[in-house]
Each structure stands twice: as structure tokens, then as C-alpha cells.
Amino acid sequence: MKQHLNDAQMQAILHQKGPMLVLAGPGSGKTLVITKRIERLITYGKVDPSNILVITFTRAAAKEMKERFCSVMPAEGQRVTFGTFHAVFFMILKYAYRMEASNIIREEERMQLIRDMICSMRLDYEDETELIQNLLSEISFIKNGRIDLKHYYPICCSQDIFVHVFREYESVLRRRRKIDFDDMLVYTYELFSARSDILSAWQKKFRYLLVDEFQDVNQIQYDIVRMLCGKEQNLFAVGDDDQSIYRFRGAKPEIMLHMPKDFSDAQVVNLSYNYRCPVDVTRLSSHIISYNKERFPKQMQAVSRISSSITAELFETQGKEYEAVIDRIRERGSPYKQTAVLFRTNTQAGALMEQLMAYDIPFTAKDNIPNLYEHWIAKDFFAYIRIAEGSRKRRDFLMIMNRPKRYLSRESLEGEDISFTAWQAFYAEQPWIEARIEKLAEDLLAIRRMRPFAAINYIRRGVGYDDFLKEYAGYKKIEPDGLLEKADALQESSREFASFAEWSAHIKRYQKELEEVYKREGNREDAVTLATFHSAKGLEFDTVHIIDANEGITPYKKAVLPADMEEERRMFYVALTRAKQELHLYASKKIHNHEAEVSRFLIEGREYLPGMDVCC
């Protein structure tokens, strides 16, 4: 056993009883440590395999862990319980309440439930799917954090609306005898709190708990784990507080940081050797993450003495930046399947995907990448353009006639085909409104003569669409920046096209190819991986490209509080440490024609980045 293990790994594996926290940095061999410890508990500790519970965060991780252990101890492996938090807790609920899989509400049912609710409430919204997802996300956040509804202030809507939606959602689930995935945790916590006899039975069943990715536990998961540990406290928690990046789901590094206080006899072991990353990537990432204050002090060391080809480049525009990414990928320094392009948010990938398609470079997306051309702002722009080109469809006029506000009524649009003459005649006794219709007609005539880029610019600034977006943001109590950025991205996407017909044809090709990409998802053996920092966690690649390393993107513009900024730095750390051989970092001086600053994370690491002393 010892020949392939370092001293810290051996210390963790040899641990027999009581609580232990294993700080397992990137590429430190944590899966090996967990499987070897289970093997030792059974072989030398004479622990009954059925008394061991191994909890992971994904089914894939549970499956891999079980397969690796069963390859060593096949018979015993079938008796050890491997599972996700949800799978394990649902198993407990099945025994207590005789629940079945049919009691779990399907995701499409949840979506429809909220859709029906907001429809009956006649809420004002632009993107229905976005509102539904935000509501469900905040409902989940409350349950996972065990937050009192009275003390919660929602982000996506007013408090009154959210409280109504939450209570109605819970009421419908109860009436239908359904639970969602968060209820598996809530019901288990309530069961153990109310029934000490049932809790005691499960404590006797699972005398040894091993929890992987411990930094990702939320409050209710941690509370249930503490209950299950009982008096013996045989908790073996493995994780890395520097990779805690799911605060939006209720996970926070403070839980892991406080564990040694909650378990006063806990031993702490630091797996400080990185077997994945080259030495320069390890030094860079360790230096940057050291700027965080709320963390266990540690310094990762690379086992490999080989330096990677780290590059850090600053480009004049985002377009030039993406061209450089494409050029480097086409050089095929690594196979496509060993190449990843990582980014902070899923909205960044659209323009790059268009270029990958243009060069016929196969790719697979780990996230649901929103189609920019299906956003409601894009639909407004397209409606303006269609009318400018001669459309007289009522539905097109309805979309834009009060964007910006012109105080035009729906009733003024008579029939399915609109005549400007008849429209103006409707307001014959209100000449100020009649004048606005005349101004709109003049604007549309001007738009018709323009190239797409100039037309979008005119709609935004000449017609006043940007003013509408700002007014809309104020009404919705949201920051206008996100909406204006969508408009910026759409305008930028139109830059190279000479006519609306060319741009429209490009959009149709892109949407068709995008559908084909998602149809082939998972069937491409050799494809570049596109992923957010969140989705890249747990993965590794020979070559990693990190795009848009600019302030406002990474770190994200909404990260204002110190805790939020530390989370952003942890995300960047996760992205850096996916690289096994090459790491390429990119930033731009201008994004969507606006001046942009280099990310503070590159500035923090500039002494380890070739050329960044000039860029910064």
C-alpha cells in the first residue's frame, strides 16, 4: 500500500476512529485515499462493510468510487453503501414513509406548476423561463439553508409575491403527495429531529461516514451528517475549502472551516501534493488563492518538475481574443477531447461557439448555453428590422410600439395588417401622439437604409431603446447593465454583415447548427469542451484556455462583498487547476466596444505570468 502513497495520504488512510478532516487540494489523490481507507477499515479494522456509508455529490462520482473499490474488494464492495446525499436520504425516507420514485416530482412538473402560478397571478415579466428558474432556485436556497421565510428577501421578485409562490408551491406538493429533491433533505432532518429511535437505528447501521467534496455541503446536509455521526463521531470528511464554489446553492466554506470546532477531537490532514498540474500552474494558482483570508492556510506543491506553456495575453478586442483561441485550438497541440475553453458565465460562450462552428471545430458544452438570438431584446430588434423592411404584421408592431414609451394603445392597431395612415388617423384628435407615429415611420425609413450594425446602434441611441431598457430595469428593480450587455452583444454580432439578409441567414445557420450540436451531445469522442468554471470542477484537460479574464466578468460585476469576491477567486482557482500540461489566459482591452480592465486575479499572479508585467 505504501509505495505509491505520500505521508499525508498514509496518515489519512490509517485513521481508524473519530472525526478527521482531510484537506484535499486539486489533483491530490483524494479518491485513492477514500477507497484505500475503506479497504483498511474492512481488512485491518474488521469493520463490517454494511456499516460504511460513502456520500458523494453526483451519481457519476458515486459510481466511479464504487467501481474503483469493487475492483479491489468485489464482494465487500457490494455491501458498502455508496450514494449521493439525495439517494441516501431518499432511501431513509422510503423505509420511514414507504415513499416511492413516483412521489418525486419531475422537473417539468415543477416548471409547469410555477408557470401556472405566475400566469394566474398575472405577473409582468419578459422571460418566463428565466423567472421560473429563478423562483425555483430561490425556493431551493431557502430549503437547503433552513432559512425562515419571514427573514428572506428574494432577488427575482417582491417579497409578497415570493411568499405567495413559495407557500402555494409547498401546498400543491402536499396535496399531490409529491416531494422535490430539496424535500428529501428537509424531511430527513425533520424525521431525525422528531424520532430519536429512527435516528438511533440509522446511527447503528452507518457507524462510519465518509463524505467526499465536503466543501460543497450546505447547512441542512451538514446538520443531518452531524446527527448520523452520533456519539462515535466517525466522520471522515474530504474536501478543499479553496474549491468551495456553490454559495448560490447554500454551500459555503465556513461550514468546513468550523468543522474542527464542531468536532473538538477532529484531526486535520493536509494532502498538499498536486499530482495533476505542472509546477508553474501550481505556483500560480497557489499564489492567487493565498489572497483569500477565510481559508485553511496551505501551500500546494507540484509532484511534477515540468513547467507548462503558460501564456497570458491581452488583446485589443474580444473578437481578436477569440480569434487567438481558435488559432491555438486549430494548431492541435492537444487532441480536441483533451482541450477545454473555460469561462465565468454561460452567456460568454455564444460568440465563441459561432467561431468554432465557422471553422468546423467539434465541441461539446457542459452547460446550457443560452441562444442570444432568442432573447427578448433580440426579438425586439428583429421586429424593428422586419417593420423597416416592409412588414406590417400587427404582432411586430405590438412588440416595439412602446419600446421606448410612445403611449400607443393596442386598440389603435386595427386588423392584422397595419397601415401607418390609418394608425395616425386613429389619433387625429391627439396630434402629439400622431407626431410620435410619424417619428417612428421616419426612424424605420432610416433603419432600412443602414447596415445591421448601424441599424442596431440607431435603434438603441437614435430611437431610444437603451432608455427603455434603463426604465424597464428601474421598474423591475434590477441593474440595467445586464440588459445593456445583451444589446451590446447583439450589436457586436451584427458588425461584419453588410445586409439584414446576410445577418438573418447567419442567425438561421447558427441556430440550426446549434440544434445539431445538442443532438450530438455526448456522441462525439473527439470534441473541445466548453464549460463554466462551475461545470469544470472535477474535470481535467491537457490544455486549458480561460477566456475574458477581465474585471466585471471574472470577478463577476455583482461580487461586491468580501465573501463574494473570495468565492470569485476560488472559481478562478478551480479553473486554473484543471490544466495538466498547458494553460492559456486571455483578456481584452475592449469588450463590446467598451473599455475593459484586466482581471485583478491576473494582476495578483503577474509575477508568475509571462508578459503580464507589461499588460498590467
Side-chain angles (χ1 to χ4, degrees):
M1 181 186 288
K2 189 170 183 177
Q3 59 184 4
H4 300 300
L5 301 167
N6 60 51
D7 291 344
Q9 288 174 328
M10 281 300 299
Q11 183 183 352
I13 291 166
L14 295 174
H15 179 71
Q16 181 69 19
K17 291 188 176 182
M20 172 171 276
L21 176 61
V22 180
L23 303 177
S28 60
K30 65 182 179 64
T31 303
L32 176 66
V33 167
I34 292 172
T35 53
K36 286 291 185 183
R37 180 173 186 255
I38 301 169
E39 180 184 351
R40 182 167 181 86
L41 284 174
I42 295 169
T43 305
Y44 296 95
K46 304 303 178 186
V47 174
D48 187 330
S50 65
N51 291 149
I52 300 174
L53 171 62
V54 183
I55 301 178
T56 67
F57 271 82
T58 66
R59 284 180 292 181
K63 183 173 181 287
E64 180 194 356
M65 193 93 67
K66 183 171 183 176
E67 287 174 351
R68 288 183 65 166
F69 182 70
C70 286
S71 68
V72 179
M73 304 184 76
E76 292 84 351
Q78 298 303 320
R79 299 177 59 206
V80 175
T81 300
F82 294 86
T84 63
F85 275 100
H86 292 100
V88 171
F89 295 164
F90 187 61
M91 173 185 67
I92 291 170
L93 294 178
K94 283 198 291 186
Y95 280 102
Y97 302 123
R98 297 187 179 182
M99 284 188 176
E100 299 177 356
S102 59
N103 292 114
I104 304 172
I105 189 169
R106 299 192 311 275
E107 187 61 23
E108 55 267 31
E109 286 183 88
R110 297 176 75 220
M111 295 280 287
Q112 189 58 50
L113 196 162
I114 299 294
R115 183 176 290 109
D116 293 343
M117 219 178 292
I118 63 177
C119 182
S120 67
M121 295 171 71
R122 297 184 179 181
L123 299 182
D124 181 27
Y125 52 83
E126 289 293 341
D127 191 321
E128 180 187 77
T129 301
E130 182 180 25
L131 176 60
I132 292 170
Q133 290 173 341
N134 288 341
L135 284 166
L136 287 172
S137 177
E138 295 201 52
I139 288 171
S140 178
F141 186 78
I142 283 182
K143 292 183 179 183
N144 283 305
R146 292 180 52 221
I147 300 170
D148 190 327
L149 187 60
K150 292 183 294 186
H151 302 145
Y152 182 73
Y153 297 93
I155 299 170
C156 65
C157 62
S158 71
Q159 192 171 21
D160 290 345
I161 289 173
F162 183 78
V163 168
H164 176 82
V165 169
F166 183 91
R167 288 176 175 164
E168 182 63 19
Y169 174 79
E170 292 291 276
S171 176
V172 171
L173 289 189
R174 284 195 296 272
R175 290 199 302 270
R176 296 181 184 177
R177 294 185 56 79
K178 296 280 188 178
I179 63 170
D180 61 23
F181 279 91
D182 302 311
D183 289 330
M184 294 178 191
L185 312 181
V186 174
Y187 283 23
T188 302
Y189 177 81
E190 291 175 350
L191 174 68
F192 284 171
S193 298
R195 294 290 301 273
S196 59
D197 56 330
I198 292 177
L199 172 60
S200 178
W202 287 106
Q203 287 171 339
K204 290 174 183 175
K205 164 67 176 170
F206 295 129
R207 294 182 52 230
Y208 291 84
L209 274 70
L210 296 88
V211 182
D212 189 20
E213 302 287 4
F214 191 69
Q215 76 280 348
D216 293 334
V217 298
N218 57 41
Q219 191 61 55
I220 196 165
Q221 289 167 338
Y222 182 57
D223 291 342
I224 296 171
V225 165
R226 289 186 67 186
M227 288 177 168
L228 275 173
C229 287
K231 293 180 180 179
E232 294 187 48
Q233 295 197 333
N234 289 324
L235 173 62
F236 189 77
V238 182
D240 180 10
D241 55 306
D242 288 335
Q243 296 187 71
S244 177
I245 60 172
Y246 295 112
R247 185 177 288 273
F248 66 94
R249 290 198 316 221
K252 45 192 176 181
E254 291 85 349
I255 293 174
M256 187 171 179
L257 290 168
H258 292 158
M259 183 204 154
K261 296 178 182 177
D262 295 332
F263 294 82
S264 56
D265 296 330
Q267 298 181 47
V268 179
V269 175
N270 183 11
L271 305 185
S272 59
Y273 286 99
N274 184 331
Y275 291 86
R276 175 194 300 152
C277 301
V279 61
D280 50 354
V281 173
T282 303
R283 287 172 180 165
L284 169 66
S285 57
S286 295
H287 180 76
I288 291 174
I289 199 63
S290 70
Y291 280 82
N292 276 4
K293 293 183 172 63
E294 297 299 319
R295 63 189 290 263
F296 286 107
K298 64 181 91 69
Q299 182 69 34
M300 294 298 294
Q301 302 175 60
V303 173
S304 169
R305 293 292 96 192
I306 300 172
S307 291
S308 74
S309 301
I310 291 186
T311 65
E313 298 174 90
L314 181 62
F315 296 87
E316 288 297 323
T317 66
Q318 199 175 35
K320 295 292 184 185
E321 173 190 337
Y322 291 175
E323 285 175 15
V325 176
I326 296 293
D327 288 344
R328 209 168 251 132
I329 291 173
R330 292 179 72 197
E331 290 171 4
R332 296 299 295 266
S334 298
Y336 288 148
K337 67 180 178 182
Q338 281 298 328
T339 301
V341 181
L342 308 183
F343 34 86
R344 170 62 180 84
T345 69
N346 63 352
T347 59
Q348 292 170 249
L352 184 64
M353 286 168 64
E354 291 188 51
Q355 292 203 35
L356 289 168
M357 289 178 184
Y359 286 97
D360 200 27
I361 297 174
F363 65 88
T364 180
K366 289 291 181 184
D367 306 83
N368 180 25
I369 307 298
N371 186 343
L372 178 66
Y373 302 118
E374 291 181 352
H375 194 276
W376 60 267
I377 294 176
K379 292 177 180 178
D380 284 353
F381 287 162
F382 298 155
Y384 265 109
I385 291 168
R386 283 194 300 271
I387 297 172
E389 291 197 307
S391 169
R392 292 298 177 263
K393 298 295 183 185
R394 186 173 188 266
R395 63 175 178 269
D396 288 336
F397 283 84
L398 285 171
M399 290 177 70
I400 57 89
M401 67 182 190
N402 285 311
R403 297 183 176 188
K405 194 175 289 181
R406 298 184 180 93
Y407 300 97
L408 300 168
S409 70
R410 297 174 67 92
E411 292 74 20
S412 67
L413 297 175
E414 298 172 335
E416 287 305 310
D417 293 307
I418 305 305
S419 161
F420 269 92
T421 303
W423 200 11
Q424 286 179 280
F426 184 89
Y427 287 106
E429 296 181 7
Q430 295 172 285
W432 60 92
I433 296 183
E434 186 180 1
R436 287 175 181 153
I437 296 174
E438 186 175 348
K439 173 65 166 61
L440 174 60
E442 292 171 358
D443 288 336
L444 291 166
L445 189 62
I447 290 167
R448 184 174 186 175
R449 294 193 289 260
M450 295 176 181
R451 291 167 65 100
F453 184 85
I456 299 298
N457 187 62
Y458 186 81
I459 292 168
R460 296 180 64 188
R461 295 168 177 88
V463 175
Y465 191 84
D466 276 10
D467 293 332
F468 156 71
L469 290 178
K470 292 171 186 175
E471 185 178 347
Y472 175 83
Y475 171 70
K476 287 289 186 179
K477 295 182 173 57
I478 60 175
E479 291 296 320
D481 292 356
L483 300 176
L484 293 171
E485 283 174 8
K486 286 285 190 301
D488 286 341
L490 284 158
Q491 185 175 345
E492 190 63 31
S493 74
S494 70
R495 183 185 289 274
E496 64 183 86
F497 300 99
S499 68
F500 296 131
E502 283 184 28
W503 191 31
S504 178
H506 166 77
I507 292 170
K508 288 176 182 176
R509 282 196 304 272
Y510 170 72
Q511 291 175 322
K512 185 176 180 181
E513 289 175 13
L514 195 60
E515 289 175 9
E516 291 299 316
V517 166
Y518 286 124
K519 283 180 185 176
R520 295 192 299 265
E521 191 71 34
N523 297 325
R524 285 184 164 184
E525 292 185 3
D526 193 24
V528 174
T529 297
L530 305 183
T532 60
F533 296 168
H534 285 108
S535 296
K537 189 164 175 287
L539 305 177
E540 58 183 27
F541 304 90
D542 289 348
T543 301
V544 170
H545 305 266
I546 299 178
I547 62 172
D548 301 333
N550 288 92
E551 287 290 298
I553 297 178
T554 179
Y556 194 52
K557 60 191 174 187
K558 292 184 179 179
V560 178
L561 300 175
D564 297 329
M565 189 56 67
E566 294 208 352
E567 178 106 341
E568 293 291 320
R569 192 175 283 107
R570 288 193 294 271
M571 276 188 266
F572 196 67
Y573 176 76
V574 167
L576 294 172
T577 54
R578 301 310 95 195
K580 293 164 63 180
Q581 293 179 14
E582 296 183 23
L583 175 64
H584 304 290
L585 305 167
Y586 306 82
S588 298
K589 292 181 181 179
K590 284 189 175 182
I591 294 178
H592 302 320
N593 234 24
H594 298 293
E595 297 294 328
E597 296 179 19
V598 169
S599 169
R600 71 189 66 189
F601 303 147
L602 295 191
I603 296 173
E604 290 168 358
R606 61 185 166 187
E607 65 181 279
Y608 297 94
L609 293 171
M612 282 311 294
D613 54 337
V614 178
C615 296
C616 303

